[in-house]
């Protein structure tokens, strides 16, 4: 990828929304156009729906494809983030289903994670800087603190209870975890488990786009209850959370200011060797 400076951000803010399992479109999005975008990394998961929410430009992409046909380990994460970058998107809210490692975080609980443990390293194309320029982006804080604060404040405004921190362990999937793996992830500090935050989060950082995860607990992680996990419970819990999620997103989007008060927009400035 060329250094993103080549695409100037002289436009007002543009917001990207990535929908996860059970979120294939966004009700309340006033659709303007459907965009089929090609990138140097191939095609994104689906055409991107351009629309607006209360006058703010919003671009929606269903991560697993329009009909949930792409499993997490086959998603072209680079094409997805590059497509947003080409559209001039400067902030991304990323919705995802997760299992919870805390029995008290019931299905439907919303978590705004602040840390990531990546168990997919080596299994997925995880950087835009594979050849040519050598770049080491800072990833101490994998999620944008400014966007996280906006979502957490929006939640208190809408009286939505969210967990305002948490460590997301990203597994490669598509299988779910064993009970022993979950015990191990709990030991190393994970709070929630999912299959899509990586490399999505780091690619957004490399593209100098603010990125915030909004995770919906769909199930207790493996071994935390006596029954087997099913894909249906994941989809059902996501559908059930959709109304509260929409309100939260709308409130957060309205609260965004055009200026970014974080370092995401200059993530590459000290990344080159
Ligand atoms: N594990 C991994 N990914 C998930 C889970 C889980 O338990 N639930 C929803 N996505």
């Amino acid at each position: 990828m060329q250094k993103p400076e080549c695409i100037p951000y002289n436009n007002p803010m543009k917001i990207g929304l990535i929908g996860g399992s059970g979120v294939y479109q966004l009700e309340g999005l006033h659709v303007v156009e459907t965009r089929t975008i090609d990138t140097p990394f191939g095609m994104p998961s689906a055409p991107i729906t351009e629309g607006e929410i209360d006058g703010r430009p919003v671009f929606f992409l269903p991560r697993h494809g329009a009909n949930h046909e792409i499993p997490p380990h086959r998603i072209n994460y680079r094409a997805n983030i590059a497509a947003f970058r080409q559209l001039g998107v400067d902030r991304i809210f990323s919705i995802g289903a997760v299992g919870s490692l805390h029995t008290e975080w019931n299905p439907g609980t919303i978590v705004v994670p602040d840390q990531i443990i990546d168990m997919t390293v080596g299994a997925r194309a995880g950087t835009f800087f594979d050849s040519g320029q050598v770049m080491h982006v800072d990833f101490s804080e994998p999620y944008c603190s400014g966007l996280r604060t906006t979502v957490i404040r929006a939640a208190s405004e809408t009286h939505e209870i969210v967990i305002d921190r948490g460590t997301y362990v990203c597994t490669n999937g598509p299988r779910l975890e064993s009970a022993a793996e979950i015990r191990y992830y709990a030991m190393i500090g994970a709070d929630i488990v999912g299959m899509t935050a990586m490399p999505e989060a780091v690619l957004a950082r490399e593209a100098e786009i603010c990125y915030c995860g909004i995770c919906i607990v769909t199930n207790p992680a493996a071994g935390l209850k006596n029954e087997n996990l099913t894909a249906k419970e994941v989809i059902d819990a996501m559908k059930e959370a959709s109304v509260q999620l929409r309100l939260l997103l709308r409130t957060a989007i309205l609260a965004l200011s055009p200026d970014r008060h974080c370092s995401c927009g200059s993530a590459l400035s000290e990344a080159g060797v």
Side-chain angles (χ1 to χ4, degrees), residues 97-99 171 176-177 193-195 218-222 229 234:
V98 292
T171 60
L176 292 158
E177 299 73 38
V193 57
M195 300 179 190
T218 54
N219 57 280
L229 303 180
V234 172

Side-chain angles (χ1 to χ4, degrees), residues 19-24 63-64 68 72 95-100 106-109 168 174-177 193-196 215-222 225 228-242 245:
S21 301
V23 185
Y24 311 116
R63 178 192 287 121
H64 294 284
H68 202 141
I95 301 159
V98 292
S100 165
N106 292 316
T109 303
Y168 181 128
R175 68 166 176 85
L176 292 158
E177 299 73 38
V193 57
M195 300 179 190
T196 55
C215 301
I216 318 297
V217 172
T218 54
N219 57 280
K225 64 169 189 177
N228 286 347
L229 303 180
T230 66
K232 184 177 178 305
E233 68 188 297
V234 172
I235 303 293
D236 287 351
M238 289 299 279
K239 287 200 174 134
E240 231 164 86
S242 67
L245 196 57

Side-chain angles (χ1 to χ4, degrees), residues 90-93 112-115 138-154 164-165 205 209-213 256 259-265:
D90 59 355
R91 297 145 220 233
I92 293 176
F93 294 107
V112 184
D114 62 339
Q115 278 298 330
D138 178 72
F139 206 49
S140 320
E141 298 295 335
Y143 296 100
C144 170
S145 59
L147 270 196
R148 290 185 60 255
T149 304
T150 305
V151 172
I152 291 160
R153 283 201 189 131
D164 62 4
R165 54 149 298 280
R205 179 64 52 82
I209 300 174
C210 298
Y211 178 90
C212 173
L256 289 173
D259 305 322
R260 297 196 279 173
H261 302 287
C262 58
S263 52
C264 302

Side-chain angles (χ1 to χ4, degrees), residues 1-2 38-43 76 78-79 82-83 86:
M1 157 132 155
Q2 290 172 299
D38 198 3
T39 82
F41 303 94
M43 303 294 284
N76 188 340
R78 291 197 294 186
Q86 284 171 219

